[in-house]
Amino acid sequence: MEDLTNTSTDAFAERIFSSVLGAMDCLTIALGDRLGLYDALAEHGPLTAEELSRHAEIDARYAREWLEQQAVAGLVDVARPADSGESRQYGVNDAQRAVLCDRSLESYLTPLTQVLAAAGAQLDALETAYRTGGGVGWASYGPRMRRGQADANRALFLTSLPEVWLPAVPALHERLTEGTRVADVGCGDGWSSIGIASGYPASTVDGFDLDPDSVAAAHVNAADHGVADRTTFRCVDAATVDDAHGYGLVTAFECVHDMPDPVSVLATMRSMAEPDGWVVVVDERVPETFTGSGDPVEQLMYGYSVLVCLPDGMSHQPTRATGTVMRPEVLRAYAQEAGFADIEVLPIENEVFRAYRLLTPAH
């Protein structure tokens, strides 16, 4: 009879080993991204290790080891593996370029490796936080975390948001097309604000975020994308905003779950909107209930929560300590506490995000 215990152990060990290989891939991708190695291969490749070292201004021996590891892992192509280490050439194919290099595509996943690397660098601080009930604030993760998070959503907010998501809600699309004022709460580096402004030239967007580095980046990004005349950005805690009203649309993209006091922010968003204005929250598309073994999206969000979002939330006191996995019923409770009547899931299809309209009692 087959030893089921050994079989199960072997299968689980294989799963963990695969995870270790995946983690190593992520860290070597993050390293290659920081050094500009993928961009050099995409622009100048195929390249030998010596040629890559010159283009990227790194040591040749390190260039060779990184290239060989990337080829063995299937992350870059090697033209003639039997050539000597000095003459062997490496490059990126179209699929690799789309995932590792092209920042204009939603398939660009390299920023996620930067998020993982930044989280891993805080392992000691996370251990302390878990033991003491303290936290690890967003700023502690450093600029790589901020940029990785922003770049991960950049293409989505610049393309799908104005071209697919908002047009899927006809009444909102019409309002934006005719022209309205938009308040974008928790705007980060500004990509959601810029996406809306780019897609709807008759509308203006005011972004609000409490991170000064993000607000500074948002100003630069808006100028680079030609919408600086229709976007403004303020460095302020949205919960304290009391001088911004009359918006036809108030949004919060993937940030409510991070807020230590989401109810106060949602209440502010309600006051910012016109009486018939829209309040829209976009957050993670996680299952409605916890069932144990979950799908890849739920696994990803719990990973974020354990390493980043919950520790950041716990770094503020008092805090709701929501974590990344904010299920619909949790948001509904927050919204009702903030004075909304209910939430409505909007017909916007995406594998990772779910969009909600927060309904006022009049609806």
Side-chain angles (χ1 to χ4, degrees):
M1 180 179 295
E2 181 182 4
D3 187 336
L4 296 181
T5 301
N6 286 342
T7 301
S8 299
T9 300
D10 289 345
F12 186 66
E14 183 176 348
R15 181 223 190 270
I16 298 301
F17 185 69
S18 296
S19 296
V20 171
L21 292 180
M24 287 182 172
D25 284 348
C26 285
L27 294 177
T28 60
I29 290 170
L31 179 62
D33 179 49
R34 293 187 186 190
L35 294 170
L37 306 185
Y38 296 113
D39 290 338
L41 289 172
E43 183 177 356
H44 305 289
L47 298 173
T48 65
E50 178 65 34
E51 290 168 338
L52 178 62
S53 73
R54 291 200 301 270
H55 282 292
E57 298 182 343
I58 67 170
D59 179 81
R61 180 64 186 92
Y62 279 121
R64 175 179 169 182
E65 198 73 5
W66 182 85
L67 284 167
E68 290 180 357
Q69 180 274 332
Q70 295 282 287
V72 168
L75 300 173
V76 304
D77 286 347
V78 55
R80 293 177 298 277
D83 286 358
S84 68
E86 290 73 22
S87 61
R88 200 180 295 134
Q89 291 186 316
Y90 303 82
V92 289
N93 59 41
D94 290 343
Q96 293 160 350
R97 186 190 305 264
V99 176
L100 299 174
C101 307
D102 195 335
R103 293 156 179 81
S104 69
L105 300 178
E106 292 181 32
S107 57
Y108 177 58
L109 296 182
T110 300
L112 297 183
T113 70
Q114 299 292 358
V115 169
L116 181 62
Q122 294 302 313
L123 197 58
D124 288 346
L126 289 168
E127 179 186 356
T128 299
Y130 271 71
R131 291 187 184 280
T132 64
V136 182
W138 179 251
S140 299
Y141 291 93
R144 296 289 182 181
M145 174 66 77
R146 178 185 66 79
R147 179 55 57 82
Q149 179 63 35
D151 286 353
N153 292 332
R154 177 183 184 273
L156 180 76
F157 288 156
L158 292 181
T159 55
S160 285
L161 174 60
E163 296 174 11
V164 180
W165 290 15
L166 294 172
V169 187
L172 183 55
H173 174 66
E174 181 179 357
R175 187 170 196 149
L176 289 163
T177 300
E178 292 176 352
T180 193
R181 296 175 65 223
V182 180
D184 188 14
V185 173
C187 65
D189 280 19
W191 295 122
S192 49
S193 303
I194 294 166
I196 295 172
S198 298
Y200 297 95
S203 294
T204 60
V205 186
D206 297 330
F208 302 84
D209 201 283
L210 52 74
D211 178 55
D213 291 334
S214 295
V215 171
H219 282 292
V220 174
N221 293 334
D224 289 345
H225 284 74
V227 295
D229 60 328
R230 292 186 293 106
T231 57
T232 66
F233 299 97
R234 291 174 57 183
C235 185
V236 62
D237 183 346
T240 66
V241 173
D242 57 7
D243 61 346
H245 306 284
Y247 289 98
L249 171 63
V250 184
T251 62
F253 291 93
E254 203 190 9
C255 61
V256 170
H257 69 258
D258 290 313
M259 298 173 179
D261 185 11
V263 172
S264 294
V265 176
L266 293 177
T268 298
M269 292 173 66
R270 180 168 176 257
S271 71
M272 295 170 80
E274 295 176 331
D276 66 340
W278 288 63
V279 177
V280 173
V281 170
V282 175
D283 221 281
E284 323 299 0
R285 183 181 286 276
V286 293
E288 295 188 6
T289 59
F290 178 81
T291 60
S293 180
D295 62 28
V297 172
E298 190 176 19
Q299 293 176 40
L300 177 68
M301 297 314 165
Y302 265 116
Y304 267 119
S305 197
V306 166
L307 296 172
V308 184
C309 296
L310 181 58
D312 176 41
M314 292 284 283
S315 71
H316 306 273
Q317 295 296 332
T319 180
R320 292 297 183 103
T322 306
T324 317
V325 185
M326 184 175 68
R327 304 189 194 278
E329 282 305 310
V330 174
L331 177 61
R332 175 175 283 110
Y334 289 163
Q336 291 175 341
E337 192 175 343
F340 292 95
D342 203 353
I343 62 174
E344 172 191 11
V345 177
L346 294 174
I348 294 173
E349 296 299 323
N350 184 268
E351 293 180 350
V352 178
F353 297 115
R354 182 184 288 120
Y356 306 88
R357 182 182 184 186
L358 277 55
L359 303 173
T360 59
H363 292 98

